[in-house]
Amino acid sequence: MQAINASPRTGVGSRDDFERLFREEYPRVVGIANRVLADRQAAEDVAQEVFVDFHRLHRADAPYAGPWLHAAAAHRALNAIRSRLRRAKREAAYPAPVPADPAEEAERAEERRLVRAALARMPNRGATVLALRYSGLSYSEVAGALGVGVNQVGTLLRRAEAQLRREVERGTSR
Amino acid sequence: MGHLGDGALRRLIDEPLAMSDSERFHYQHCERCQARRREYEVETESAGRLLAVGPAEVDTQAALRAVTARSGQPAPAPLRLFARSASSLNAFRRPILLAAALLALASVAVTAGPALLTTTIFEPKGPVTTVTVNPPTGDTEGLVAGLPDLSAYGDMTVIKKAQTQTGVTAAEAASTTGLKVLTPPAQYATGSVTYTTVTASEGSFTFSKTKAIAAAQAAGKPVPVFPDGIDGSTIDVTAGPALVEVFGTVDKNSTLSNLPLIVASSKAPVVKSTGVSYEQLEAFLVAQPGIAGNATLVAAIHAIGAPLAAGQLAIPIPADRATSKDETTSGVPGVLISDKTGLASALVWQKGDIVYAAGGHFDESQLLAIYQSIG
């Protein structure tokens, strides 16, 4: 594989642009993926995939770079938990390893699982708005990532929060 | 002013300075809005607890090295400038084209996620949603001309052709389509009723790199981009049956100001796709000449793609021509779409696997009355 470098097609300085974009956005993109996955290592994997895709498809100085990366991080992380849940279903027939942690850890793990399952069941837009906002993006940044007006963000967020609560309750009562 | 909306109250919790003076004045003197805000705050705190995660400290430098090593493709061509479209129809055609392409993409995402597939089905379960699509800026004469003609990217096969019949009776319409004939309130259903039926149709599209390149070269357009996995993959779409009821007359003299009530129902489209992942198809679309590098189009693709990926039908709304808002009536969520002149509106909703629409020269309250009668 060849490395990223400046070339006639990418234009002079494109490598610098990409590195600057990466340094500015990588921690935040990991944060968004981690908000969905609750798994830092998996979040880093997702973030790196997102940057690889972005580099393949877009210029680093594109004005939409930030919103694209934020939305892609949330979408890819949501896809990852959905895949993970499907895989868990398939593997449910096999005995799980006995946890070495005390009951408190098991309880926390169960809550994490319930929340991830709830996010996976929610419509993408709702789950995405939660991931973005609770990762610290402003309403304006969330609007940019979702392609909606800033005045719509509060409404989407309000609905998504209510839906998250319902979905977690639904998962708990199962 | 009226009470603050849910969104404004929710934003007040996070960004209190974003409130306008009139909103702030109302809020400070309205116990009801203050109570709602407190209620929302409880839910916000609850969501915050549920979504709390541990710190995600990262080694950015190491990550940059890893990504740099994995990235083998050069960046795409520089940003393109587009011309203004002279045709008002084209402003609608492009979002619809994108929506159709994304519908196919979403079919993969709904049940598949990122893994490679052999077959996947898109069956929208609702609710219907809308996506605002911003108009292109600058000189857009060449914008539509610059877009790829996706129909030239492969081979279309009509498996079952739709048959359209106009002027049938209500009983025949119901029998032909299997759909229920809807009867709106008499005061809105003036004039004669014309029933039009459309039978179910099915078609498939197989991507062909060879054909796409040849078509582009023949038209003197940029050569399309075909990432691995796209060539040879097939998308199958089943649509309809559908039933359209026109209460009055629609002809060449019809305008938005005299549009009669039109009620339509259709079985939601079902899409199957083979061979490629969601990521591959989306990357394919945004990489095409005429789309790649155009922030407006790429944003539209992602905006339309998100609800489709969640199994919702998404209706593109050109921001300069129409507005939309969510409208839940009798527990069924729908969307109200209005043209910016205020002359015509339509309400669209989905129940089960049937999508319904009612529209014409009506205001919101009239459409809601119609909906409550037939919805």
Side-chain angles (χ1 to χ4, degrees):
Chain A
M1 275 184 188
Q2 75 187 68
I4 294 170
N5 53 27
S7 74
R9 287 190 64 184
T10 57
V12 175
S14 64
R15 178 176 181 165
D16 289 344
D17 288 338
F18 184 78
E19 289 192 5
R20 184 165 52 249
L21 176 70
F22 194 91
R23 290 183 201 287
E24 285 173 2
E25 293 289 352
Y26 183 70
R28 185 174 252 195
V29 170
V30 173
I32 292 168
N34 190 43
R35 189 69 51 179
V36 175
L37 295 162
D39 180 335
R40 191 191 61 77
Q41 187 55 53
E44 285 221 55
D45 291 344
V46 163
Q48 291 179 19
E49 293 286 345
V50 165
F51 273 97
V52 168
D53 277 357
F54 182 84
H55 177 68
R56 283 181 49 239
L57 298 170
H58 306 285
R59 286 178 60 111
D61 60 356
Y64 54 83
W68 191 100
L69 292 166
H70 304 154
H75 293 161
R76 194 177 276 262
L78 286 166
N79 279 341
I81 54 169
R82 287 170 185 144
S83 296
R84 192 190 286 175
L85 290 170
R86 282 195 295 271
R87 196 164 54 245
K89 270 188 187 173
R90 284 199 301 272
E91 293 168 355
Y94 298 93
V98 178
D101 301 331
E104 190 182 335
E105 174 55 31
E107 196 176 319
R108 275 204 301 270
E110 174 60 7
E111 183 173 278
R112 279 198 300 272
R113 188 193 66 76
L114 282 172
V115 173
R116 265 67 250 172
L119 286 171
R121 285 195 299 271
M122 287 176 63
N124 243 26
R125 180 182 266 200
T128 300
V129 77
L130 289 175
L132 297 177
R133 176 61 199 146
Y134 282 88
S135 297
L137 270 68
S138 69
Y139 278 49
S140 172
E141 289 170 321
V142 173
L146 293 179
V148 301
V150 71
N151 289 333
Q152 289 177 261
V153 173
T155 306
L156 294 173
L157 193 55
R158 163 89 188 117
R159 283 186 200 148
E161 287 166 344
Q163 188 163 17
L164 175 69
R165 175 180 47 74
R166 287 196 301 271
E167 288 294 342
V168 170
E169 287 169 357
R170 184 179 149 206
T172 309
S173 65
R174 279 180 172 177
Chain B
M1 70 176 291
H3 293 294
L4 299 182
D6 285 357
L9 282 173
R10 178 61 188 82
R11 190 176 186 187
L12 178 61
I13 296 169
D14 292 334
E15 297 182 352
L17 298 180
M19 205 177 222
S20 70
D21 289 343
S22 58
E23 285 175 328
R24 183 172 293 105
F25 181 84
H26 173 89
Y27 176 76
Q28 286 169 345
H29 296 87
C30 178
E31 288 184 5
R32 185 175 161 189
C33 284
Q34 291 170 17
R36 285 168 60 212
R37 178 192 184 275
R38 287 193 293 274
E39 179 193 329
Y40 295 177
E41 204 162 27
V42 170
E43 192 132 65
T44 298
E45 287 170 5
S46 166
R49 277 195 303 275
L50 290 171
L51 292 168
V53 291
E57 291 170 12
V58 295
D59 182 345
T60 302
Q61 188 58 39
L64 178 59
R65 282 196 300 273
V67 168
T68 302
R70 290 171 59 190
S71 300
Q73 301 296 321
L79 290 171
R80 302 162 63 92
L81 294 175
F82 293 95
R84 182 181 302 279
S85 166
S87 162
S88 60
L89 184 60
N90 282 332
F92 289 90
R93 199 177 278 154
R94 190 178 57 257
I96 290 168
L97 171 76
L98 294 177
L102 284 157
L103 187 64
L105 304 188
S107 68
V108 183
V110 169
T111 53
L116 287 175
L117 301 171
T118 52
T119 302
T120 307
I121 297 173
F122 172 69
E123 290 180 302
K125 302 298 182 192
V128 174
T129 188
T130 58
V131 174
T132 302
V133 180
N134 290 317
T137 55
D139 178 12
T140 57
E141 182 59 41
L143 190 149
V144 175
L147 282 179
D149 177 7
L150 293 179
S151 65
Y153 274 37
D155 297 298
M156 173 72 82
T157 304
V158 177
I159 299 168
K160 188 193 291 180
K161 191 175 180 182
Q163 304 288 333
T164 302
Q165 272 192 298
T166 299
V168 297
T169 65
E172 288 168 338
S175 168
T176 303
T177 62
L179 297 166
K180 184 183 172 189
V181 174
L182 302 173
T183 307
Q187 68 265 39
Y188 303 115
T190 53
S192 61
V193 188
T194 304
Y195 298 99
T196 299
T197 61
V198 184
T199 59
S201 60
E202 185 177 358
S204 73
F205 185 84
T206 302
F207 289 94
S208 166
K209 182 177 181 179
T210 306
K211 184 177 177 182
I213 291 173
Q217 288 172 339
K221 292 192 175 180
V223 175
V225 177
F226 264 72
D228 290 344
I230 299 293
D231 191 18
S233 60
T234 298
I235 293 169
D236 291 282
V237 181
T238 305
L243 168 59
V244 181
E245 302 169 58
V246 179
F247 297 87
T249 304
V250 178
D251 57 25
K252 63 181 181 182
N253 298 318
S254 296
T255 66
L256 290 179
S257 60
N258 64 11
L259 203 60
L261 174 62
I262 301 171
V263 177
S265 53
S266 174
K267 192 168 185 304
V270 176
V271 186
K272 297 180 179 182
S273 178
T274 62
V276 289
S277 70
Y278 170 71
E279 281 85 354
Q280 283 174 297
L281 281 169
E282 185 171 0
F284 164 72
L285 191 59
V286 299
Q288 296 312 309
I291 296 177
N294 184 293
T296 305
L297 283 175
V298 171
I301 286 170
H302 290 303
I304 296 170
L308 289 176
Q312 292 177 273
L313 279 178
I315 303 169
I317 305 294
D320 58 337
R321 292 163 192 280
T323 60
S324 69
K325 69 172 189 173
D326 294 340
E327 193 74 70
T328 297
T329 308
S330 307
V332 178
V335 290
L336 178 73
I337 301 167
S338 305
D339 85 302
K340 284 217 163 170
T341 64
L343 292 173
S345 299
L347 198 57
V348 185
W349 69 98
Q350 181 174 356
K351 265 188 178 179
D353 61 350
I354 308 294
V355 179
Y356 300 89
H361 176 51
F362 299 105
D363 62 25
E364 180 177 354
S365 62
Q366 291 170 318
L367 278 177
L368 288 175
I370 293 167
Y371 170 84
Q372 282 166 344
S373 172
I374 64 177

